[in-house]
Amino acid sequence: MKDLFELGGKFFNSRLLTGTGKYSTDEIIPQVTSASESQIITVALRRVDFDSPYRSVMDYIPPNIQLLPNTSGARDAKEAIKIAQISRASGHGNFIKIEVISDNKYLLPNGYETLKATEELSKDGFIVLPYVNADLYLGRSLKDAGAAAIMPLGSPIGSNRGIRCMEMIRVLVELIDLPIIVDAGIGKPSDAAVVMEMGVDACLVNTAIASSPNPILMASAFKDAVISGRNAYLAGLGCRSSIAVASSPLTGFLNG
Amino acid sequence: MKVTINGKKRDIDNNLSILELLKDLKVDPNKIIIQLNQEIIKSKHFESTSIIQESQIEILSIVGGG
């Protein structure tokens, strides 16, 4: 039986979500998408800068991809709601990653404003994916507010510092009955594999791929890591012991 | 007439349609999202929608993001 990832009533083969920011050139995005086998891709919404030439990143996103616009740039719930509504009204679907940030040094998400936006947008028919700190009570409140998943950060956005709040993410996996998608801070494929082994449902990776000297190969490495970690979780990890336990029989030795 | 485009005040010709404004700004109408006085304008209405004095115009596009 196929191990499909269900999100917002849709089913996906891939559990690796990828971002489209920070590439040296957008032209590489189709190859990265292909190598990652990602089926859910994040984008952002910004004012056009008339002083510099621009091209839409949409030109580089392959068809049949689930678009996941984010609300980056929003400093409170009101701004996040506005971005979500513009995104949907302009034909970019009803999936939305809520990102509400007003701290510029660590870019940590504001849980209170994120919850307010989640409540309103869920009622309005959006598939809401809130990006938050790994906090159990906030996670429960977001579920009650209608979130489709919880997206805890591993470490600050773009830092590539890995999973710095592993135990708190573990609590979400155990106690929140929603998909848990680790977002932000995943710096290398082994970070993704570790959280997948633990039972998170998916990972979102951008900077670690985009800032690699070889983004296409790195995208492929992340694909393999996520599959590997997921398979390990499904298989169930072997038992641990504080002392050595021989793998070969301790009888029938060849003496002399 | 005076309007605000992406947060900046600008002087534009009277009775411009959205499509004409985009041409003046050298913006490809197929790759942007227009919000006129808080309302999204669908691209098929760019030609028939006129801009009035003091309008607030947001010209947005989808960009790379995580």
Side-chain angles (χ1 to χ4, degrees):
Chain A
M1 203 172 84
K2 271 204 157 183
D3 174 42
L4 298 174
F5 173 43
E6 184 180 0
L7 188 61
K10 294 188 176 181
F11 293 89
F12 302 93
N13 291 309
S14 168
R15 291 170 181 271
L16 173 61
L17 290 66
T18 50
T20 53
K22 297 185 185 172
Y23 284 96
S24 55
T25 165
D26 287 348
E27 272 88 353
I28 200 172
I29 290 173
Q31 291 163 276
V32 168
T33 305
S34 171
S36 69
E37 294 185 10
S38 178
Q39 295 170 306
I40 305 173
I41 287 185
T42 58
V43 293
L45 189 67
R46 287 289 181 276
R47 283 172 166 169
V48 170
D49 175 7
F50 307 111
D51 299 326
S52 61
Y54 74 95
R55 299 175 78 172
S56 173
V57 75
M58 293 300 292
D59 293 344
Y60 304 102
I61 294 179
N64 305 318
I65 290 285
Q66 175 63 55
L67 209 61
L68 177 56
N70 67 35
T71 65
S72 68
R75 291 157 296 178
D76 56 27
K78 197 176 155 193
E79 290 181 356
I81 290 164
K82 182 179 168 189
I83 293 169
Q85 288 170 339
I86 291 171
S87 172
R88 183 172 67 178
S90 55
H92 294 102
N94 64 345
F95 276 55
I96 192 80
K97 174 184 153 186
I98 303 296
E99 208 175 303
V100 180
I101 293 169
S102 50
D103 168 80
N104 284 333
K105 184 169 184 185
Y106 290 105
L107 300 177
L108 294 173
N110 182 322
Y112 177 66
E113 293 293 321
T114 302
L115 178 59
K116 284 200 287 185
T118 300
E119 275 172 348
E120 188 149 333
L121 292 169
S122 298
K123 279 185 207 154
D124 196 19
F126 282 89
I127 305 298
V128 183
L129 290 88
Y131 166 67
V132 287
N133 287 293
D135 179 274
L136 173 62
Y137 299 100
L138 176 59
R140 283 179 170 157
S141 298
L142 288 165
K143 181 176 189 293
D144 292 343
I150 307 290
M151 303 184 80
L153 58 94
S155 52
I157 290 173
S159 68
N160 280 349
R161 293 187 67 215
I163 314 302
R164 296 285 166 161
C165 41
M166 182 73 89
E167 294 308 315
M168 298 304 108
I169 294 174
R170 193 188 304 277
V171 170
L172 296 186
V173 170
E174 183 186 341
L175 296 179
I176 304 279
D177 185 21
L178 278 181
I180 305 296
I181 304 169
V182 175
D183 181 10
I186 293 175
K188 51 190 191 298
S190 54
D191 296 331
V194 164
V195 286
M196 294 303 297
E197 282 170 5
M198 197 174 74
V200 309
D201 298 89
C203 292
L204 196 162
V205 181
N206 190 157
T207 303
I209 296 174
S211 64
S212 163
N214 187 338
I216 299 167
L217 187 56
M218 185 56 84
S220 172
F222 267 104
K223 175 199 69 180
D224 291 339
V226 166
I227 291 170
S228 176
R230 177 66 181 176
N231 284 341
Y233 169 73
L234 292 175
L237 301 180
C239 53
R240 297 173 71 172
S241 167
S242 58
I243 59 165
V245 181
S247 302
S248 305
L250 290 175
T251 57
F253 292 117
L254 281 67
N255 292 324
Chain B
M1 63 181 176
K2 293 190 187 314
V3 296
T4 304
I5 304 175
N6 286 0
K8 287 183 186 166
K9 292 199 184 308
R10 283 182 182 242
D11 259 321
I12 63 169
D13 292 342
N14 289 339
N15 302 318
L16 277 187
S17 71
I18 286 177
L19 191 63
E20 287 165 333
L21 173 69
L22 295 176
K23 272 184 192 163
D24 285 355
L25 292 170
K26 298 183 172 52
V27 172
D28 183 343
N30 299 311
K31 292 181 179 172
I32 46 97
I33 299 158
I34 291 278
Q35 202 183 21
L36 177 62
N37 298 322
Q38 306 290 321
E39 200 176 318
I40 296 279
I41 308 294
K42 291 191 171 165
S43 56
K44 64 182 177 185
H45 297 137
F46 284 178
E47 197 168 2
S48 59
T49 304
S50 295
I51 299 165
I52 57 168
Q53 176 87 0
E54 304 294 335
S55 284
Q56 304 278 328
I57 304 160
E58 292 285 333
I59 304 177
L60 312 165
S61 71
I62 298 287
V63 299

